[in-house]
Amino acid sequence: MKVRVLVVDDSALTRRMVAEVLEKDPEIEVVGAAADAYEAREKIVSLRPDVLTLDLEMPKMDGLTFLKALMEHQPMPVVVLSSFTKGGSQHALQALQLGAVDALGKPGDPAALAEMAPQLARAVRDAALVHVENLLPHPDRPRIAAPAAEPAAFDPRQVVLLGASTGGTEALREILTRLPRRMPGLCVVQHIPGGFSRSFAERLNGLCDLDVREAADGDWVEPGVALLAPGGWHMELRREEERHRVRLTQADPVWYQRPAVDVLFHSAAACGAAPHAVAALLTGMGRDGADGLLALRKAGARTFAQDEASCVVFGMPKAALDLGAAEEAVSLDAFPARLFEAVHRSSPLS
């Protein structure tokens, strides 16, 4: 059965181009188009699409306002198309927080949409498979209380490695905002467009006790700091004496992704970081990260995967669990405490 899509954009040219791009995929059927939120609302009722593509800058009602109302009253998978501008990136991240499945950068020239045809079609197909109930915003939960007796300092070789894809921006927010600053250095790979990763890091930095920033080539992995792989760049872990630093490359995509989780995980296993590492694979489509997580576990790392019930898409974690790469499936709500316990060693995991 084909994925039925409604295209929502105020530009007639963009609506036509998006429809043409999606219709070339044999698994997708564009059932209609709408120029504004009010027309979209009517066509959702009459056409019952499986997935919406949504522009955020529209007349009468902006896309964020429409998305908020949609997720409150009739939750459904939404793929946002937003400009690569600073404002566009911030709006796209707000859309993900409100429940959008994915956010893609929209080129300034609608004709250039043809160049992102595989990415757009894949995002729409993936969106049709999500657990809609897990798209809804999570309530803020309290941060983890630091133990009465904390280590004076972490072993500089300790590192936490996190990988995520579809649904991962909010899963990472849920985890990182609840962790205290007293943590080993973290390296994070989220499948995200190049124009959005810096805004994502800045948003997390404003919410977290941790120092969250977009990684730069050569950055040291330091306690209390979370380094986010830039969109469009792989992030590798390299060991130098008794410390680690990151290396950014633009090698070929892995599992259609750059950054790819497997690149980070395999590099950590190869450089000897595993005995001092805690690694986790979160919600996402496909299997990126599963092989790398297995390599880490075999080399001595503590490894976890998000459980099916809390995933937006149970693809990457399922692949890891099926391989035996993850020692335990953990709910999103329990993840911060699990990671905290694992790195502090003071509360052994059962």
Side-chain angles (χ1 to χ4, degrees):
M1 183 178 295
K2 292 187 176 183
V3 179
R4 294 165 51 82
V5 182
L6 177 66
V7 177
V8 184
D9 197 293
D10 65 324
S11 164
L13 177 58
T14 299
R15 292 196 301 275
R16 179 170 62 82
M17 292 300 300
V18 170
E20 288 180 0
V21 163
L22 292 177
E23 285 281 12
K24 291 179 180 178
D25 190 298
E27 298 179 35
I28 296 174
E29 177 187 4
V30 177
V31 296
D36 58 54
Y38 295 97
E39 185 180 0
R41 184 178 60 186
E42 295 175 359
K43 291 193 173 182
I44 288 171
V45 173
S46 63
L47 299 174
R48 298 189 178 279
D50 301 312
V51 177
L52 222 64
T53 69
L54 179 65
D55 182 24
L56 296 181
E57 297 180 2
M58 298 188 298
K60 299 182 182 179
M61 181 188 295
D62 67 86
L64 289 175
T65 302
F66 172 65
L67 178 63
K68 184 175 186 295
L70 181 69
M71 298 309 291
E72 287 177 353
H73 301 291
Q74 191 172 345
M76 65 179 300
V78 175
V79 174
V80 163
L81 291 173
S82 183
S83 67
F84 275 125
T85 64
K86 179 71 171 178
S89 299
Q90 292 172 341
H91 291 158
L93 293 172
Q94 289 176 342
L96 292 170
Q97 186 175 2
L98 289 172
V101 176
D102 206 348
L104 303 181
K106 184 169 66 173
D109 180 4
L113 282 164
E115 299 174 8
M116 58 182 293
Q119 182 186 15
L120 179 56
R122 187 166 58 248
V124 166
R125 293 195 307 269
D126 291 354
L129 300 176
V130 304
H131 298 297
V132 175
E133 63 276 12
N134 289 337
L135 292 172
L136 304 180
H138 298 281
D140 290 335
R141 296 181 176 92
R143 285 184 169 88
I144 293 172
E150 294 188 89
F154 287 102
D155 185 322
R157 295 171 295 179
Q158 278 190 274
V159 63
V160 177
L161 309 170
L162 303 176
S165 186
T166 310
T169 55
E170 288 309 293
L172 288 168
R173 180 190 65 80
E174 171 78 4
I175 292 170
L176 295 179
T177 57
R178 294 177 59 202
L179 291 175
R181 185 171 182 84
R182 187 168 287 278
M183 289 285 293
L186 298 93
C187 294
V188 181
V189 170
Q190 163 70 44
H191 297 165
I192 196 169
F196 296 163
S197 53
R198 177 163 295 183
S199 293
F200 180 45
E202 291 173 351
R203 173 189 169 223
L204 288 175
N205 190 54
L207 297 172
C208 295
D209 284 345
L210 295 164
D211 179 8
V212 184
R213 59 176 181 258
E214 187 181 56
D217 190 46
D219 275 349
W220 290 103
V221 179
E222 300 175 303
V225 177
L227 298 176
L228 175 72
W233 293 81
H234 290 308
M235 183 166 68
E236 300 176 351
L237 199 66
R238 297 295 177 91
R239 183 169 174 173
E240 294 193 12
E241 297 180 353
E242 295 300 303
R243 301 177 63 191
H244 295 103
R245 68 195 313 168
V246 298
R247 176 173 179 249
L248 302 182
T249 78
Q250 287 194 307
D252 291 341
V254 175
W255 302 114
Y256 307 103
Q257 302 294 337
R258 191 172 61 208
V261 183
D262 260 334
V263 171
L264 174 64
F265 285 3
H266 277 300
S267 70
C271 77
H276 309 280
V278 176
L281 199 54
L282 306 175
T283 176
M285 180 65 64
R287 58 171 299 112
D288 181 27
D291 295 333
L293 196 69
L294 180 61
L296 283 168
R297 187 177 188 189
K298 286 181 175 179
R302 303 299 307 274
T303 59
F304 305 97
Q306 189 174 346
D307 72 349
E308 182 175 9
S310 65
C311 277
V312 171
V313 180
F314 189 53
M316 289 159 45
K318 182 180 187 301
L321 290 163
D322 288 347
L323 277 179
E327 62 189 72
E328 183 182 359
V330 180
S331 71
L332 181 58
D333 183 49
F335 241 116
R338 249 347 181 210
L339 294 176
F340 187 78
E341 291 167 357
V343 299
H344 282 75
R345 315 286 185 186
S346 59
S347 300
L349 300 181
S350 56

